[in-house]
Amino acid sequence: MREIAPDGITGMPSRTAAYLCRQIAELVKAGSLTPETCQRIYTFCGIRPSDNQWRQFLIPVLCFLGLLSLVAGAVFFIAWNWVWLPKMAKFALAELLIVALSVLVWWRWYSTLARSALLAAGLGFGALFALYGQIYQTGADSWELFRAWLCVLLPLALIARQNSLWFCSWLVANLGFQLYYTTLPASLLDLAVSDNVTRIPTAVLHSYLALLAACLIVREALAWRAITHHPENWLASRWFSRVMAGFLLLLMTTIVAGNLSDWEGANHVTSVTVSWMITLLAGYYLYRYRYVDLCMLTLGVASLTVVGCALIMQLFLLVYDTGDLFLTGALMIFWVLVNGSILLNWQRKLAEKGPIDLVSARLTSLTSTLRQQGLLSASQIEEIKQRGHASDLPWYLRLALSVGGWIAAIIILLLMALVLYAADLLDDPNSATLILPSLLLAVIARGLLRNERDGKHHLGLAWAIAATCGLIFGVLLQIQSSDFSFMMLGSLCALPILAVMAVSMPDRTYRFMAITAMTFFLVLAGYSLARLTLSPTAGHLAVSILVAAVIFLWLGIVSHQLRLQAGPYADAVPPLLYGIPAGLMMLSFLGINAAFITDLFWSAAQFATLQSAMGTGIAAGLMLSVLSQRRNGQPLFSIITLPAALICGAAALFAPGIGLGLWLILMARYQGSPGLLVVSSGFMVLYVIGWYYFLEVTLLQKSLLLLVGGLVLLGLAWEVKKVLPAQIGGARENA
């Protein structure tokens, strides 16, 4: 049985259309299709949105973001020390927001706005309970707040019938359970890793895990019933089940790995190990043969990989001599790569029956329609079929393989250091000590990456990462300078190494990582150089210009991506499209976590001014790109391009991550990529959470920005509804 799930994101193209357009892009790369025809196909399939599709996308997204921004602003305002305000006024402000949201739900009950308002109201009750505890200091434990919050969220979830509220209820319940044990030195997850897990009563631990498993089983039963009978129902969505399964496996895996690492001790929970094995076997049978779900299989294999590595360490790391260490590392690399090959083998076998997570009949219908419209020929459709579906890896499988590659790369580096230690070459380390072996690794990695076999290609990725790290570390050994000079010189030295390796290694995943690191180190080197050589004002201007240039380059690539994919540098386009914004995300986090990173790595380095320089650069880059594209008659987002750049740029001036995140959400719709939409939304959530602790801006200023921003976003939703047409345009396959 193939998995069928609704898209669940209003205004986004269907999975069938998105998959087919990814295959069509390969025809452009091969020269079988012109970029102009591909652009017409993208428009027909809804990848490139019309004004009507922008309306379908923007109204719910702007309403959702606006309401959540108001709730976050209210939470920030409550956290601010506002002693001068009377108690009743504080409660009135918090309750007024909930009342307003409730009125909105009652007024627009069947609209998307009401569903978002109901979620915002549920989150608002959490802020209200926190305010009550803050004012009266009742002495109640934190878990009691979450218990009361859960009692409000559950009825709302029953009424709303949406996954977001059920997810919030599930999350609050888990947080409440862990906070219930605040008398212990750490959370349940930390205890599972440590030797203190037995301080949790065994019956309670078993009951908690059993309850998590029962919730997952009920959710899965409802999901598959909905998929079979009502595929468009909200219960048919799969993401919540995958989150629940991932969390359950995470807890069980840490406990089982702890049991294996200390099997001679007294702190064992053997029954959990047995339950873990039964869970994996049952999951393999269900999701491999009954209800096919490669994501669930990936989670199970990831758990098996971690436990297997723990078992290898326990079996072979008997004494810390060179032979045992080398054998342990080699076996762990082999185990990681074997599990990765198993996943790729499953993916290929499932793809032979048709695209994963798609209905083959819909794909056939869409290709037939494109042929009738004269957009695809019979030979081009046959070329798409001959390519097969095995090369189209789902995002979760790419993520798992990337993490596995990094783990294997770290082990390879440790083994290389072990060999150098055995040869007495680490007594007086120099650049040649690491660079020469790393060059050898790079040559081997290039050969492996050229091999199409899954195991060898996966091993080549690990060797390529290890070679890159070894080359950079080898160069860093020769740098003797102050903290800030070291950071500047190290970043400058890393850039050519990453550039050469990105060109040399024929792997899209590796190139994405290399472009991400290059973007990060480029701006970091420019920032460090400006701090050392220029005045504060001139340095701020220089870094802003550098960031603006990066933004301008990125949006230029986005605007001309189809023409670039038809040229000699086609393989560089996808890594640049996604690697540059990933590097900017990392820089945004660096700016708001300046104090922590300074204490952790560089005692004298300061990154606080990077935040403002990033914001100015993002705003300038967006405006310059939009004006340039408008002058050339090629705006990305048609009628909304200039207003979007103004709003995102204004937000970036105060909080670079928020402005960048808003633009990435628009970019996700322009690319027709639900994955990018999820990543962008997750980035904004994490950034706002980290921004809460950023000391350069007061909580009052942050709360006012969020409150004003929320009102602006809601106003924009109303404006979009009035300005953009409701029926003009549309996509053939966008449902």
Side-chain angles (χ1 to χ4, degrees), residues 140-171:
D141 293 326
S142 299
W143 70 270
E144 296 182 271
L145 181 150
F146 285 88
R147 181 186 62 183
W149 193 5
L150 180 63
C151 292
V152 174
L153 284 175
L154 280 176
L156 293 180
L158 289 169
I159 294 172
R161 292 178 294 178
Q162 54 177 298
N163 284 307
S164 55
L165 266 170
W166 279 109
F167 172 72
C168 289
S169 303
W170 175 84
L171 184 61

PDB file of all heavy atoms in Angstrom, residues 140-171:
ATOM      1  N   ALA A 140       3.840  27.158  43.925  1.00  0.00           N
ATOM      2  CA  ALA A 140       3.530  25.955  43.144  1.00  0.00           C
ATOM      3  C   ALA A 140       4.703  25.615  42.226  1.00  0.00           C
ATOM      4  O   ALA A 140       5.452  26.487  41.788  1.00  0.00           O
ATOM      5  CB  ALA A 140       2.266  26.178  42.321  1.00  0.00           C
ATOM      6  N   ASP A 141       4.866  24.335  41.967  1.00  0.00           N
ATOM      7  CA  ASP A 141       5.930  23.898  41.066  1.00  0.00           C
ATOM      8  C   ASP A 141       5.571  24.228  39.621  1.00  0.00           C
ATOM      9  O   ASP A 141       4.408  24.406  39.267  1.00  0.00           O
ATOM     10  CB  ASP A 141       6.156  22.393  41.210  1.00  0.00           C
ATOM     11  CG  ASP A 141       6.722  22.041  42.575  1.00  0.00           C
ATOM     12  OD1 ASP A 141       7.496  22.855  43.114  1.00  0.00           O
ATOM     13  OD2 ASP A 141       6.371  20.967  43.093  1.00  0.00           O
ATOM     14  N   SER A 142       6.615  24.241  38.773  1.00  0.00           N
ATOM     15  CA  SER A 142       6.403  24.605  37.371  1.00  0.00           C
ATOM     16  C   SER A 142       5.488  23.614  36.666  1.00  0.00           C
ATOM     17  O   SER A 142       4.702  23.989  35.789  1.00  0.00           O
ATOM     18  CB  SER A 142       7.750  24.675  36.651  1.00  0.00           C
ATOM     19  OG  SER A 142       8.584  25.651  37.234  1.00  0.00           O
ATOM     20  N   TRP A 143       5.579  22.333  37.068  1.00  0.00           N
ATOM     21  CA  TRP A 143       4.787  21.337  36.362  1.00  0.00           C
ATOM     22  C   TRP A 143       3.293  21.558  36.559  1.00  0.00           C
ATOM     23  O   TRP A 143       2.482  21.182  35.698  1.00  0.00           O
ATOM     24  CB  TRP A 143       5.164  19.929  36.813  1.00  0.00           C
ATOM     25  CG  TRP A 143       4.731  19.586  38.208  1.00  0.00           C
ATOM     26  CD1 TRP A 143       5.431  19.780  39.353  1.00  0.00           C
ATOM     27  CD2 TRP A 143       3.492  18.978  38.592  1.00  0.00           C
ATOM     28  NE1 TRP A 143       4.723  19.338  40.434  1.00  0.00           N
ATOM     29  CE2 TRP A 143       3.525  18.835  39.991  1.00  0.00           C
ATOM     30  CE3 TRP A 143       2.369  18.544  37.889  1.00  0.00           C
ATOM     31  CZ2 TRP A 143       2.477  18.286  40.705  1.00  0.00           C
ATOM     32  CZ3 TRP A 143       1.315  17.982  38.598  1.00  0.00           C
ATOM     33  CH2 TRP A 143       1.382  17.854  39.997  1.00  0.00           C
ATOM     34  N   GLU A 144       2.897  22.211  37.658  1.00  0.00           N
ATOM     35  CA  GLU A 144       1.486  22.480  37.882  1.00  0.00           C
ATOM     36  C   GLU A 144       0.952  23.499  36.884  1.00  0.00           C
ATOM     37  O   GLU A 144      -0.215  23.439  36.485  1.00  0.00           O
ATOM     38  CB  GLU A 144       1.279  22.957  39.314  1.00  0.00           C
ATOM     39  CG  GLU A 144       1.625  21.903  40.356  1.00  0.00           C
ATOM     40  CD  GLU A 144       1.377  22.387  41.769  1.00  0.00           C
ATOM     41  OE1 GLU A 144       2.296  22.978  42.371  1.00  0.00           O
ATOM     42  OE2 GLU A 144       0.261  22.152  42.265  1.00  0.00           O
ATOM     43  N   LEU A 145       1.803  24.446  36.473  1.00  0.00           N
ATOM     44  CA  LEU A 145       1.404  25.388  35.429  1.00  0.00           C
ATOM     45  C   LEU A 145       1.114  24.642  34.136  1.00  0.00           C
ATOM     46  O   LEU A 145       0.116  24.903  33.462  1.00  0.00           O
ATOM     47  CB  LEU A 145       2.509  26.427  35.227  1.00  0.00           C
ATOM     48  CG  LEU A 145       2.274  27.530  34.191  1.00  0.00           C
ATOM     49  CD1 LEU A 145       3.008  28.797  34.611  1.00  0.00           C
ATOM     50  CD2 LEU A 145       2.763  27.125  32.795  1.00  0.00           C
ATOM     51  N   PHE A 146       2.001  23.700  33.802  1.00  0.00           N
ATOM     52  CA  PHE A 146       1.804  22.944  32.567  1.00  0.00           C
ATOM     53  C   PHE A 146       0.586  22.029  32.673  1.00  0.00           C
ATOM     54  O   PHE A 146      -0.100  21.787  31.672  1.00  0.00           O
ATOM     55  CB  PHE A 146       3.064  22.137  32.246  1.00  0.00           C
ATOM     56  CG  PHE A 146       4.179  22.972  31.704  1.00  0.00           C
ATOM     57  CD1 PHE A 146       5.091  23.583  32.552  1.00  0.00           C
ATOM     58  CD2 PHE A 146       4.307  23.165  30.344  1.00  0.00           C
ATOM     59  CE1 PHE A 146       6.117  24.358  32.051  1.00  0.00           C
ATOM     60  CE2 PHE A 146       5.330  23.946  29.828  1.00  0.00           C
ATOM     61  CZ  PHE A 146       6.235  24.550  30.689  1.00  0.00           C
ATOM     62  N   ARG A 147       0.321  21.532  33.863  1.00  0.00           N
ATOM     63  CA  ARG A 147      -0.879  20.703  34.034  1.00  0.00           C
ATOM     64  C   ARG A 147      -2.143  21.519  33.787  1.00  0.00           C
ATOM     65  O   ARG A 147      -3.072  21.076  33.091  1.00  0.00           O
ATOM     66  CB  ARG A 147      -0.896  20.106  35.437  1.00  0.00           C
ATOM     67  CG  ARG A 147      -2.092  19.197  35.706  1.00  0.00           C
ATOM     68  CD  ARG A 147      -2.124  18.759  37.158  1.00  0.00           C
ATOM     69  NE  ARG A 147      -2.272  19.898  38.059  1.00  0.00           N
ATOM     70  CZ  ARG A 147      -2.263  19.810  39.389  1.00  0.00           C
ATOM     71  NH1 ARG A 147      -2.092  18.626  39.960  1.00  0.00           N
ATOM     72  NH2 ARG A 147      -2.404  20.884  40.137  1.00  0.00           N
ATOM     73  N   ALA A 148      -2.181  22.730  34.365  1.00  0.00           N
ATOM     74  CA  ALA A 148      -3.341  23.597  34.143  1.00  0.00           C
ATOM     75  C   ALA A 148      -3.451  23.995  32.674  1.00  0.00           C
ATOM     76  O   ALA A 148      -4.558  24.044  32.107  1.00  0.00           O
ATOM     77  CB  ALA A 148      -3.222  24.840  35.026  1.00  0.00           C
ATOM     78  N   TRP A 149      -2.314  24.263  32.064  1.00  0.00           N
ATOM     79  CA  TRP A 149      -2.310  24.625  30.644  1.00  0.00           C
ATOM     80  C   TRP A 149      -2.830  23.472  29.793  1.00  0.00           C
ATOM     81  O   TRP A 149      -3.595  23.672  28.850  1.00  0.00           O
ATOM     82  CB  TRP A 149      -0.887  25.010  30.255  1.00  0.00           C
ATOM     83  CG  TRP A 149      -0.753  25.690  28.930  1.00  0.00           C
ATOM     84  CD1 TRP A 149      -1.759  26.086  28.100  1.00  0.00           C
ATOM     85  CD2 TRP A 149       0.468  26.048  28.289  1.00  0.00           C
ATOM     86  NE1 TRP A 149      -1.246  26.676  26.974  1.00  0.00           N
ATOM     87  CE2 TRP A 149       0.125  26.671  27.056  1.00  0.00           C
ATOM     88  CE3 TRP A 149       1.808  25.911  28.619  1.00  0.00           C
ATOM     89  CZ2 TRP A 149       1.088  27.146  26.176  1.00  0.00           C
ATOM     90  CZ3 TRP A 149       2.763  26.389  27.745  1.00  0.00           C
ATOM     91  CH2 TRP A 149       2.405  27.006  26.540  1.00  0.00           C
ATOM     92  N   LEU A 150      -2.432  22.247  30.138  1.00  0.00           N
ATOM     93  CA  LEU A 150      -2.892  21.078  29.396  1.00  0.00           C
ATOM     94  C   LEU A 150      -4.402  20.914  29.508  1.00  0.00           C
ATOM     95  O   LEU A 150      -5.067  20.527  28.536  1.00  0.00           O
ATOM     96  CB  LEU A 150      -2.179  19.826  29.914  1.00  0.00           C
ATOM     97  CG  LEU A 150      -2.550  18.505  29.247  1.00  0.00           C
ATOM     98  CD1 LEU A 150      -2.177  18.530  27.765  1.00  0.00           C
ATOM     99  CD2 LEU A 150      -1.865  17.337  29.949  1.00  0.00           C
ATOM    100  N   CYS A 151      -4.953  21.227  30.678  1.00  0.00           N
ATOM    101  CA  CYS A 151      -6.403  21.113  30.870  1.00  0.00           C
ATOM    102  C   CYS A 151      -7.168  22.083  29.969  1.00  0.00           C
ATOM    103  O   CYS A 151      -8.344  21.856  29.656  1.00  0.00           O
ATOM    104  CB  CYS A 151      -6.755  21.375  32.335  1.00  0.00           C
ATOM    105  SG  CYS A 151      -6.172  20.086  33.465  1.00  0.00           S
ATOM    106  N   VAL A 152      -6.524  23.166  29.557  1.00  0.00           N
ATOM    107  CA  VAL A 152      -7.153  24.101  28.620  1.00  0.00           C
ATOM    108  C   VAL A 152      -6.924  23.675  27.179  1.00  0.00           C
ATOM    109  O   VAL A 152      -7.821  23.766  26.326  1.00  0.00           O
ATOM    110  CB  VAL A 152      -6.595  25.525  28.855  1.00  0.00           C
ATOM    111  CG1 VAL A 152      -7.121  26.483  27.794  1.00  0.00           C
ATOM    112  CG2 VAL A 152      -6.954  26.019  30.242  1.00  0.00           C
ATOM    113  N   LEU A 153      -5.720  23.185  26.898  1.00  0.00           N
ATOM    114  CA  LEU A 153      -5.375  22.836  25.519  1.00  0.00           C
ATOM    115  C   LEU A 153      -6.161  21.634  25.001  1.00  0.00           C
ATOM    116  O   LEU A 153      -6.558  21.598  23.832  1.00  0.00           O
ATOM    117  CB  LEU A 153      -3.875  22.554  25.411  1.00  0.00           C
ATOM    118  CG  LEU A 153      -2.949  23.772  25.410  1.00  0.00           C
ATOM    119  CD1 LEU A 153      -1.493  23.324  25.430  1.00  0.00           C
ATOM    120  CD2 LEU A 153      -3.214  24.655  24.200  1.00  0.00           C
ATOM    121  N   LEU A 154      -6.390  20.647  25.854  1.00  0.00           N
ATOM    122  CA  LEU A 154      -7.076  19.438  25.392  1.00  0.00           C
ATOM    123  C   LEU A 154      -8.492  19.712  24.876  1.00  0.00           C
ATOM    124  O   LEU A 154      -8.854  19.240  23.789  1.00  0.00           O
ATOM    125  CB  LEU A 154      -7.099  18.392  26.509  1.00  0.00           C
ATOM    126  CG  LEU A 154      -5.804  17.590  26.697  1.00  0.00           C
ATOM    127  CD1 LEU A 154      -5.924  16.653  27.883  1.00  0.00           C
ATOM    128  CD2 LEU A 154      -5.460  16.811  25.428  1.00  0.00           C
ATOM    129  N   PRO A 155      -9.326  20.465  25.598  1.00  0.00           N
ATOM    130  CA  PRO A 155     -10.651  20.773  25.023  1.00  0.00           C
ATOM    131  C   PRO A 155     -10.560  21.572  23.729  1.00  0.00           C
ATOM    132  O   PRO A 155     -11.340  21.343  22.798  1.00  0.00           O
ATOM    133  CB  PRO A 155     -11.324  21.598  26.136  1.00  0.00           C
ATOM    134  CG  PRO A 155     -10.615  21.209  27.386  1.00  0.00           C
ATOM    135  CD  PRO A 155      -9.202  20.944  26.984  1.00  0.00           C
ATOM    136  N   LEU A 156      -9.608  22.502  23.653  1.00  0.00           N
ATOM    137  CA  LEU A 156      -9.444  23.270  22.426  1.00  0.00           C
ATOM    138  C   LEU A 156      -9.035  22.367  21.264  1.00  0.00           C
ATOM    139  O   LEU A 156      -9.492  22.548  20.130  1.00  0.00           O
ATOM    140  CB  LEU A 156      -8.393  24.372  22.626  1.00  0.00           C
ATOM    141  CG  LEU A 156      -8.761  25.501  23.592  1.00  0.00           C
ATOM    142  CD1 LEU A 156      -7.621  26.505  23.688  1.00  0.00           C
ATOM    143  CD2 LEU A 156     -10.040  26.206  23.150  1.00  0.00           C
ATOM    144  N   ALA A 157      -8.169  21.396  21.552  1.00  0.00           N
ATOM    145  CA  ALA A 157      -7.746  20.466  20.501  1.00  0.00           C
ATOM    146  C   ALA A 157      -8.915  19.611  20.025  1.00  0.00           C
ATOM    147  O   ALA A 157      -9.044  19.321  18.828  1.00  0.00           O
ATOM    148  CB  ALA A 157      -6.610  19.584  21.018  1.00  0.00           C
ATOM    149  N   LEU A 158      -9.768  19.206  20.953  1.00  0.00           N
ATOM    150  CA  LEU A 158     -10.948  18.415  20.575  1.00  0.00           C
ATOM    151  C   LEU A 158     -11.905  19.228  19.709  1.00  0.00           C
ATOM    152  O   LEU A 158     -12.522  18.710  18.779  1.00  0.00           O
ATOM    153  CB  LEU A 158     -11.663  17.919  21.830  1.00  0.00           C
ATOM    154  CG  LEU A 158     -10.938  16.821  22.634  1.00  0.00           C
ATOM    155  CD1 LEU A 158     -11.622  16.612  23.982  1.00  0.00           C
ATOM    156  CD2 LEU A 158     -10.910  15.520  21.841  1.00  0.00           C
ATOM    157  N   ILE A 159     -11.998  20.516  20.019  1.00  0.00           N
ATOM    158  CA  ILE A 159     -12.902  21.375  19.254  1.00  0.00           C
ATOM    159  C   ILE A 159     -12.318  21.709  17.888  1.00  0.00           C
ATOM    160  O   ILE A 159     -13.003  21.669  16.870  1.00  0.00           O
ATOM    161  CB  ILE A 159     -13.175  22.680  20.044  1.00  0.00           C
ATOM    162  CG1 ILE A 159     -13.952  22.358  21.328  1.00  0.00           C
ATOM    163  CG2 ILE A 159     -13.932  23.681  19.187  1.00  0.00           C
ATOM    164  CD1 ILE A 159     -14.095  23.549  22.253  1.00  0.00           C
ATOM    165  N   ALA A 160     -11.012  22.016  17.879  1.00  0.00           N
ATOM    166  CA  ALA A 160     -10.387  22.550  16.663  1.00  0.00           C
ATOM    167  C   ALA A 160     -10.192  21.504  15.587  1.00  0.00           C
ATOM    168  O   ALA A 160     -10.245  21.812  14.401  1.00  0.00           O
ATOM    169  CB  ALA A 160      -9.041  23.178  17.018  1.00  0.00           C
ATOM    170  N   ARG A 161      -9.899  20.253  15.983  1.00  0.00           N
ATOM    171  CA  ARG A 161      -9.603  19.192  15.019  1.00  0.00           C
ATOM    172  C   ARG A 161      -8.470  19.619  14.072  1.00  0.00           C
ATOM    173  O   ARG A 161      -8.616  19.630  12.859  1.00  0.00           O
ATOM    174  CB  ARG A 161     -10.855  18.814  14.230  1.00  0.00           C
ATOM    175  CG  ARG A 161     -11.914  18.124  15.057  1.00  0.00           C
ATOM    176  CD  ARG A 161     -13.133  17.820  14.234  1.00  0.00           C
ATOM    177  NE  ARG A 161     -13.804  19.042  13.797  1.00  0.00           N
ATOM    178  CZ  ARG A 161     -14.882  19.057  13.019  1.00  0.00           C
ATOM    179  NH1 ARG A 161     -15.402  17.925  12.575  1.00  0.00           N
ATOM    180  NH2 ARG A 161     -15.433  20.194  12.666  1.00  0.00           N
ATOM    181  N   GLN A 162      -7.329  19.962  14.679  1.00  0.00           N
ATOM    182  CA  GLN A 162      -6.156  20.309  13.899  1.00  0.00           C
ATOM    183  C   GLN A 162      -4.910  19.781  14.602  1.00  0.00           C
ATOM    184  O   GLN A 162      -4.837  19.741  15.830  1.00  0.00           O
ATOM    185  CB  GLN A 162      -6.048  21.819  13.684  1.00  0.00           C
ATOM    186  CG  GLN A 162      -6.077  22.650  14.955  1.00  0.00           C
ATOM    187  CD  GLN A 162      -5.892  24.121  14.664  1.00  0.00           C
ATOM    188  OE1 GLN A 162      -4.862  24.525  14.144  1.00  0.00           O
ATOM    189  NE2 GLN A 162      -6.884  24.932  14.997  1.00  0.00           N
ATOM    190  N   ASN A 163      -3.937  19.389  13.808  1.00  0.00           N
ATOM    191  CA  ASN A 163      -2.736  18.758  14.357  1.00  0.00           C
ATOM    192  C   ASN A 163      -1.910  19.705  15.220  1.00  0.00           C
ATOM    193  O   ASN A 163      -1.244  19.271  16.152  1.00  0.00           O
ATOM    194  CB  ASN A 163      -1.867  18.227  13.207  1.00  0.00           C
ATOM    195  CG  ASN A 163      -2.425  16.956  12.610  1.00  0.00           C
ATOM    196  OD1 ASN A 163      -2.702  15.992  13.316  1.00  0.00           O
ATOM    197  ND2 ASN A 163      -2.618  16.944  11.303  1.00  0.00           N
ATOM    198  N   SER A 164      -1.933  20.991  14.904  1.00  0.00           N
ATOM    199  CA  SER A 164      -1.097  21.933  15.646  1.00  0.00           C
ATOM    200  C   SER A 164      -1.483  21.991  17.118  1.00  0.00           C
ATOM    201  O   SER A 164      -0.607  21.990  17.998  1.00  0.00           O
ATOM    202  CB  SER A 164      -1.191  23.321  15.018  1.00  0.00           C
ATOM    203  OG  SER A 164      -2.545  23.738  14.930  1.00  0.00           O
ATOM    204  N   LEU A 165      -2.778  22.021  17.427  1.00  0.00           N
ATOM    205  CA  LEU A 165      -3.200  22.062  18.830  1.00  0.00           C
ATOM    206  C   LEU A 165      -2.953  20.732  19.531  1.00  0.00           C
ATOM    207  O   LEU A 165      -2.595  20.698  20.711  1.00  0.00           O
ATOM    208  CB  LEU A 165      -4.675  22.446  18.923  1.00  0.00           C
ATOM    209  CG  LEU A 165      -4.941  23.951  19.122  1.00  0.00           C
ATOM    210  CD1 LEU A 165      -6.408  24.257  18.961  1.00  0.00           C
ATOM    211  CD2 LEU A 165      -4.441  24.417  20.486  1.00  0.00           C
ATOM    212  N   TRP A 166      -3.144  19.624  18.813  1.00  0.00           N
ATOM    213  CA  TRP A 166      -2.824  18.332  19.415  1.00  0.00           C
ATOM    214  C   TRP A 166      -1.332  18.207  19.684  1.00  0.00           C
ATOM    215  O   TRP A 166      -0.913  17.646  20.706  1.00  0.00           O
ATOM    216  CB  TRP A 166      -3.294  17.195  18.506  1.00  0.00           C
ATOM    217  CG  TRP A 166      -4.749  16.892  18.638  1.00  0.00           C
ATOM    218  CD1 TRP A 166      -5.730  17.136  17.739  1.00  0.00           C
ATOM    219  CD2 TRP A 166      -5.398  16.307  19.777  1.00  0.00           C
ATOM    220  NE1 TRP A 166      -6.951  16.734  18.230  1.00  0.00           N
ATOM    221  CE2 TRP A 166      -6.777  16.215  19.487  1.00  0.00           C
ATOM    222  CE3 TRP A 166      -4.943  15.845  21.014  1.00  0.00           C
ATOM    223  CZ2 TRP A 166      -7.694  15.688  20.375  1.00  0.00           C
ATOM    224  CZ3 TRP A 166      -5.865  15.309  21.908  1.00  0.00           C
ATOM    225  CH2 TRP A 166      -7.226  15.237  21.585  1.00  0.00           C
ATOM    226  N   PHE A 167      -0.523  18.752  18.781  1.00  0.00           N
ATOM    227  CA  PHE A 167       0.924  18.737  19.004  1.00  0.00           C
ATOM    228  C   PHE A 167       1.290  19.570  20.227  1.00  0.00           C
ATOM    229  O   PHE A 167       2.126  19.158  21.045  1.00  0.00           O
ATOM    230  CB  PHE A 167       1.648  19.268  17.765  1.00  0.00           C
ATOM    231  CG  PHE A 167       3.118  19.469  17.978  1.00  0.00           C
ATOM    232  CD1 PHE A 167       3.976  18.386  18.077  1.00  0.00           C
ATOM    233  CD2 PHE A 167       3.650  20.747  18.094  1.00  0.00           C
ATOM    234  CE1 PHE A 167       5.333  18.567  18.286  1.00  0.00           C
ATOM    235  CE2 PHE A 167       4.995  20.940  18.294  1.00  0.00           C
ATOM    236  CZ  PHE A 167       5.842  19.849  18.390  1.00  0.00           C
ATOM    237  N   CYS A 168       0.685  20.752  20.369  1.00  0.00           N
ATOM    238  CA  CYS A 168       0.951  21.588  21.551  1.00  0.00           C
ATOM    239  C   CYS A 168       0.540  20.866  22.827  1.00  0.00           C
ATOM    240  O   CYS A 168       1.251  20.924  23.841  1.00  0.00           O
ATOM    241  CB  CYS A 168       0.216  22.922  21.422  1.00  0.00           C
ATOM    242  SG  CYS A 168       0.899  24.034  20.179  1.00  0.00           S
ATOM    243  N   SER A 169      -0.605  20.181  22.796  1.00  0.00           N
ATOM    244  CA  SER A 169      -1.057  19.436  23.978  1.00  0.00           C
ATOM    245  C   SER A 169      -0.073  18.324  24.326  1.00  0.00           C
ATOM    246  O   SER A 169       0.283  18.124  25.493  1.00  0.00           O
ATOM    247  CB  SER A 169      -2.447  18.850  23.727  1.00  0.00           C
ATOM    248  OG  SER A 169      -3.376  19.856  23.387  1.00  0.00           O
ATOM    249  N   TRP A 170       0.362  17.592  23.312  1.00  0.00           N
ATOM    250  CA  TRP A 170       1.333  16.511  23.522  1.00  0.00           C
ATOM    251  C   TRP A 170       2.644  17.059  24.062  1.00  0.00           C
ATOM    252  O   TRP A 170       3.243  16.487  24.985  1.00  0.00           O
ATOM    253  CB  TRP A 170       1.538  15.797  22.193  1.00  0.00           C
ATOM    254  CG  TRP A 170       2.584  14.730  22.191  1.00  0.00           C
ATOM    255  CD1 TRP A 170       2.435  13.430  22.587  1.00  0.00           C
ATOM    256  CD2 TRP A 170       3.944  14.864  21.756  1.00  0.00           C
ATOM    257  NE1 TRP A 170       3.621  12.748  22.426  1.00  0.00           N
ATOM    258  CE2 TRP A 170       4.560  13.606  21.923  1.00  0.00           C
ATOM    259  CE3 TRP A 170       4.690  15.918  21.252  1.00  0.00           C
ATOM    260  CZ2 TRP A 170       5.894  13.383  21.597  1.00  0.00           C
ATOM    261  CZ3 TRP A 170       6.016  15.701  20.926  1.00  0.00           C
ATOM    262  CH2 TRP A 170       6.607  14.445  21.101  1.00  0.00           C
ATOM    263  N   LEU A 171       3.097  18.175  23.525  1.00  0.00           N
ATOM    264  CA  LEU A 171       4.359  18.775  23.962  1.00  0.00           C
ATOM    265  C   LEU A 171       4.255  19.272  25.396  1.00  0.00           C
ATOM    266  O   LEU A 171       5.161  19.036  26.223  1.00  0.00           O
ATOM    267  CB  LEU A 171       4.723  19.929  23.023  1.00  0.00           C
ATOM    268  CG  LEU A 171       6.066  20.618  23.277  1.00  0.00           C
ATOM    269  CD1 LEU A 171       7.217  19.644  23.116  1.00  0.00           C
ATOM    270  CD2 LEU A 171       6.233  21.806  22.333  1.00  0.00           C
TER     271      LEU A 171
END
